[in-house]
Amino acid sequence: MFQTTSFTTLIVGVFVVYVLHTCWVMYGIVYTKPCENPKLENCINPYLAGKPRLQLSIYTALRPNADGGHTLIHEEEDFDVETKFERIVNVSLPKKTCKNGTLYAMVFLHQAGMSPWQDPRQVHLVSQLTTYMIPKPPEVSLISGEEATQAEQLKRKPKGGDPAVDRPVSHWRSRLTLNVVSEDFIFDRDFLPSDVHRYLRVFQNGKKRVYLPLLFVDELSNRVKDLMEINSTSTELPLTISYDTISLGKLRFWIHMQDAVYSLQQFGFTEKDADEIKGIFVETNLYFLALTFFVAAFHLLFDFLAFKHDISFWKQKKSMVGMSSKAVLWRCFSTIVIFMYLFDEQTSLLVLIPAGVGSMIEVWKVKKAFKIQVIWKGVKPTFIFGKSDESERRTVEYDTLAMKYLSYLLYPMSLILSLMVSFLTGVYAFGFLFMLPQLFVNYKFIFVHPQAFNTFIDDIFAFIITMPTSHRLACFRDDVVFLVYLYQRWLYPVDKTRMNEYGLSYNEEEKPKGKSHKD
C-alpha cells in the first residue's frame, strides 16, 4: 500500500511541477521587461510614438527578393495603425505560377508619399502566397448519378494510382493576415527578447535609439480550408487582406507558435497535420486556449489514475461475484470499435492515445473476467476457460436476468437504429445500455464495487478538444449511469462483515449497514 501511494504521489507531484513550469515559461513569453527610464542609452523608443504618416503597400513577385520583377496589388495610402480593415483584391497570376509555380507577397510599411523601394525607414516582410499539397480526391456519392460516374472513373484507374494525382500541386492561399504592434513599448536593450529581435529594425535619431514599427505576417491564419488549387486556366484569384493591431505579448506568443509549426513541418508533418495545430490557436481565444491546456493536462492525469485504479482493482480480483461479465465483454468490444473509429477519423492524439490504452486494458479485463488461459503450441494458441463457483454462478444468473430485461429494449432499438444510423452509432448507443446490467447486479447483491469515474472532466474535455461529434455526445452517456451509481453508493455503504473471495472480512463484529429492499 505504501509503495502504491508513493508512486501515485510521485506522478501527481511530477504533474504539478510540469504545470507550474509550463505556467512560468508562458509568463516569460508574454511578459517583456520595459525600460524604466526612457532617457537612458540602453532604451529603444518606438517610432510610432511620433505619430508618423504611414502607407501600406503590397506587391507580388516570383521570387522572395523580387528578382525578376514585382507587381503592386494593393496599397493603403492613409494607413492608420489603430484601424483594422479587410480588403478583397483580385491578383493576376503569372504564367509560371499557373504552371505549378510559386508566388510571394512583399508587404511594405513605409512613410506616406515615398516609394517603399527608396524609403530608408521602411519595414517589409515576405510571405508565400502559394503552397504545395496533394489535391483532394473527388467526393463520391452512391445516390447521385453524376457522382456515380466519378466513382466509375475511380474504379477504372490503375491500382498503383495515377502519379499525376498523387503529385503535390500548387495551391493558392486566399488569406493574408497582417498585424502591427500598436502599443508604445520601450525596450531595454539588455533585456531584448530574442524572438522579437529578428523583427526589430533600429536606427539612431540623435541621442535616442528608435525602432521602426513591428510588422508581422500571421502565417497561422493560413488554413487548408482556404486553399484553392491553381491550374493552367487560373488567370486571376481573390486574396483577402486582413489587418488588425496586436499586443507585444501576443506577438511573442504567436512567433513561438509559428516557429513550432514550421519545425513540425520540417520534421515531416504535412500541411493537413500542421493545419490541425493551427486551428487550436487561430480559432480559440487565448484565455480559452489556456483553459484547454489545463483541462487536457488534468484529463490525461485522471485518465492515468483511472487506468492505474482499474488495473490495481482487477489485478487483485480473483472472483467475479457481483460483477457483470457480459458488461465487461461488451465494454471491451465497444471500446475497440470506438478506438478504430477514432483512429480512422485521425482524431487528436489527446483522445486517441487514452482510447488505445483503454482498449488494451479492456481486453485484459475480459481475460480476467472469464478466467481465460492462453497456451501456445507453436504458433497456434489454445484457450482454456476456468470454472465458476456457486457465488459466481448466482451472479451469472442475475446477469442473464438483467440481459433478459434489457433485451426488451435492446432488440427494438437495434431494428430502428439499423434502419437509421451506422453501426458505430449503434455501438455508442448500446454502450450506454450495456452499462445497466452492472447496476442491476449491484441492486440484487445490495452492494457496489468501487469503480473509477472521471466523467465530469470528460464532459469539459469533450467541449474543448477536437473530436467527432458522435464521440463527443457519447461522453455524456456516462453521467446518467454515474448518478445512479452515486445513489447506489449511498444506498449500499461498505459492508465490513461481508466475506471476500478469500473468506476474510474487515470487521467480524460489525453488522452490515446496508438498507434492505424487496426483490
Side-chain angles (χ1 to χ4, degrees):
M1 183 65 184
F2 176 76
Q3 293 180 351
T4 303
T5 304
S6 298
F7 180 72
T8 303
T9 305
L10 178 63
I11 293 298
V12 174
V14 171
F15 171 78
V16 172
V17 171
Y18 168 74
V19 172
L20 293 178
H21 173 72
T22 303
C23 294
W24 176 255
V25 172
M26 294 301 299
Y27 175 77
I29 291 177
V30 300
Y31 174 75
T32 305
K33 185 179 180 180
C35 188
E36 298 178 356
N37 188 353
K39 296 182 180 180
L40 296 178
E41 293 183 357
N42 61 332
C43 292
I44 307 177
N45 297 275
Y47 179 71
L48 292 177
K51 307 297 180 182
R53 291 185 63 247
L54 299 174
Q55 181 175 330
L56 180 71
S57 301
I58 303 176
Y59 296 82
T60 58
L62 290 173
R63 297 182 180 180
N65 58 0
D67 187 14
H70 53 271
T71 303
L72 178 66
I73 60 171
H74 182 73
E75 61 180 356
E76 294 281 333
E77 295 183 355
D78 294 322
F79 178 72
D80 184 7
V81 175
E82 300 291 343
T83 303
K84 66 179 181 179
F85 64 82
E86 184 171 288
R87 308 279 189 264
I88 299 177
V89 297
N90 292 322
V91 180
S92 298
L93 301 182
K95 292 183 179 180
K96 291 184 178 180
T97 304
C98 296
K99 296 179 180 179
N100 211 24
T102 58
L103 192 66
Y104 295 89
M106 307 187 69
V107 184
F108 289 86
L109 187 58
H110 57 96
Q111 298 180 76
M114 291 187 64
S115 169
W117 307 96
Q118 300 173 353
D119 185 3
R121 295 183 179 176
Q122 54 84 16
V123 290
H124 75 277
L125 290 175
V126 179
S127 177
Q128 193 168 337
L129 292 177
T130 57
T131 185
Y132 288 98
M133 194 176 70
I134 298 176
K136 292 182 179 180
E139 296 183 358
V140 179
S141 172
L142 300 179
I143 300 177
S144 171
E146 181 179 351
E147 282 76 9
T149 304
Q150 294 180 359
E152 292 176 0
Q153 293 177 357
L154 291 175
K155 291 180 180 178
R156 288 196 295 267
K157 289 183 178 181
K159 294 183 179 180
D162 189 352
V165 175
D166 297 335
R167 184 182 61 190
V169 300
S170 185
H171 283 67
W172 177 254
R173 289 176 170 173
S174 60
R175 295 193 66 87
L176 180 64
T177 305
L178 310 175
N179 301 111
V180 172
V181 177
S182 59
E183 57 186 286
D184 296 335
F185 189 87
I186 302 176
F187 286 101
D188 190 331
R189 187 170 56 181
D190 296 334
F191 299 95
L192 188 64
S194 59
D195 43 44
V196 178
H197 188 271
R198 59 180 134 158
Y199 292 92
L200 208 64
R201 286 197 58 198
V202 181
F203 67 93
Q204 196 75 29
N205 186 12
K207 295 183 178 181
K208 288 185 177 181
R209 295 174 64 86
V210 181
Y211 69 90
L212 293 172
L214 291 173
L215 177 64
F216 179 69
V217 177
D218 186 3
E219 299 286 353
L220 295 179
S221 298
N222 294 325
R223 305 296 307 280
V224 170
K225 62 183 179 181
D226 298 324
L227 295 179
M228 304 171 63
E229 185 178 345
I230 301 176
N231 51 49
S232 57
T233 60
S234 302
T235 57
E236 196 175 74
L237 289 175
L239 177 65
T240 302
I241 303 173
S242 302
Y243 167 77
D244 198 359
T245 58
I246 189 172
S247 65
L248 179 60
K250 185 176 180 180
L251 171 67
R252 295 188 59 196
F253 179 77
W254 238 233
I255 292 173
H256 280 273
M257 296 304 104
Q258 199 161 280
D259 290 346
V261 172
Y262 177 78
S263 299
L264 292 175
Q265 290 177 317
Q266 297 303 307
F267 278 108
F269 273 54
T270 63
E271 187 79 21
K272 183 179 179 181
D273 296 331
D275 185 72
E276 293 182 0
I277 301 175
K278 290 179 181 179
I280 297 176
F281 303 106
V282 175
E283 298 178 353
T284 308
N285 181 276
L286 285 181
Y287 296 103
F288 191 72
L289 186 63
L291 176 63
T292 302
F293 165 75
F294 285 108
V295 170
F298 277 100
H299 184 270
L300 291 177
L301 175 65
F302 291 156
D303 271 342
F304 171 80
L305 295 178
F307 291 152
K308 175 182 173 296
H309 176 273
D310 214 13
I311 293 173
S312 300
F313 173 75
W314 281 89
K315 189 177 181 180
Q316 299 174 1
K317 192 162 188 61
K318 304 297 182 182
S319 172
M320 282 297 292
V321 177
M323 296 292 293
S324 173
S325 57
K326 291 183 176 61
V328 175
L329 182 61
W330 171 258
R331 189 171 184 86
C332 174
F333 171 73
S334 60
T335 304
I336 294 175
V337 172
I338 292 172
F339 169 72
M340 294 172 64
Y341 167 69
L342 295 175
F343 181 80
D344 183 66
E345 289 290 317
Q346 299 181 350
T347 311
S348 170
L349 293 178
L350 291 173
V351 181
L352 187 62
I353 292 178
V357 175
S359 300
M360 292 187 290
I361 293 177
E362 292 298 330
V363 173
W364 173 73
K365 285 163 62 175
V366 168
K367 179 179 177 296
K368 292 281 293 185
F370 289 90
K371 301 178 181 178
I372 302 175
Q373 293 183 355
V374 182
I375 300 177
W376 291 89
K377 296 180 180 180
V379 294
K380 182 179 179 182
T382 303
F383 299 94
I384 301 176
F385 293 83
K387 296 181 180 180
S388 303
D389 55 25
E390 183 63 30
S391 299
E392 289 178 324
R393 284 192 289 270
R394 185 182 171 202
T395 302
V396 173
E397 292 177 3
Y398 290 147
D399 197 9
T400 304
L401 184 62
M403 291 300 300
K404 177 182 178 182
Y405 296 151
L406 184 63
S407 64
Y408 298 150
L409 179 64
L410 180 63
Y411 295 150
M413 287 190 63
S414 300
L415 179 61
I416 295 173
L417 289 173
S418 63
L419 298 175
M420 297 176 58
V421 295
S422 65
F423 170 70
L424 177 79
T425 308
V427 168
Y428 278 120
F430 300 149
F432 166 74
L433 295 177
F434 275 92
M435 293 179 183
L436 303 182
Q438 183 60 58
L439 299 179
F440 182 79
V441 172
N442 293 345
Y443 167 79
K444 299 298 289 185
F445 275 91
I446 321 180
F447 77 97
V448 295
H449 277 278
Q451 300 180 38
F453 284 92
N454 57 340
T455 178
F456 294 118
I457 198 71
D458 281 340
D459 296 344
I460 303 176
F461 188 74
F463 275 113
I464 293 178
I465 302 300
T466 302
M467 62 181 68
T469 303
S470 54
H471 190 70
R472 178 176 284 122
L473 294 176
C475 292
F476 297 96
R477 72 185 184 187
D478 299 348
D479 296 345
V480 178
V481 177
F482 183 61
L483 293 176
V484 178
Y485 169 79
L486 290 179
Y487 172 72
Q488 289 186 334
R489 283 288 282 191
W490 170 81
L491 188 63
Y492 315 135
V494 176
D495 182 5
K496 296 184 179 180
T497 64
R498 184 185 300 275
M499 296 290 184
N500 61 14
E501 58 267 32
Y502 302 104
L504 302 175
S505 65
Y506 285 102
N507 189 352
E508 296 287 345
E509 298 178 357
E510 186 177 351
K511 295 182 179 180
K513 299 178 181 180
K515 300 173 182 62
S516 61
H517 59 74
K518 296 181 180 180
D519 291 344

